[in-house]
């Protein structure tokens, strides 16, 4: 387990769970946790995969879940 994303009331928090590989938000390492903002870039370790945090309203996405997954799994 590298990181966890949790909802705390109206906020979304990412927690770094790894002691050896950092979780980065917008290129900066997360020490323990970080409150995510729309558009933040999450990276799992220095050379690891990146993903964009997006909190758009339900049903507004132009891309299907399958298309989004294909972008991550490249």
């Amino acid at each position: 387990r590298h990181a966890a994303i949790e909802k705390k009331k109206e906020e979304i928090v990412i927690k770094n769970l790894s002691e050896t590989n950092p979780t980065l938000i917008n290129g900066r390492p997360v020490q323990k946790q970080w409150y995510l903002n729309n558009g933040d870039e999450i990276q799992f370790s220095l050379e690891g995969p990146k993903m964009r945090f997006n909190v758009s309203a339900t049903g507004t996405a132009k891309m299907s879940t399958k298309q989004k997954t294909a972008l991550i799994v490249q």
Side-chain angles (χ1 to χ4, degrees), residues 48-62:
K50 296 177 183 179
M51 59 189 287
R52 181 80 53 195
F53 179 70
N54 181 9
V55 285
S56 59
T58 303
T60 62
K62 302 284 185 219

Side-chain angles (χ1 to χ4, degrees), residues 2-3 5 14-16 18 21-30 36 39-53:
H2 192 89
I5 298 176
I14 188 165
K15 294 181 177 184
N16 183 39
S18 176
N21 291 308
T23 299
L24 298 100
I25 304 296
N26 303 321
R28 296 184 176 150
V30 173
L36 290 168
D40 280 345
E41 181 184 79
I42 302 168
Q43 184 173 357
F44 301 104
S45 81
L46 295 173
E47 299 295 324
K50 296 177 183 179
M51 59 189 287
R52 181 80 53 195
F53 179 70

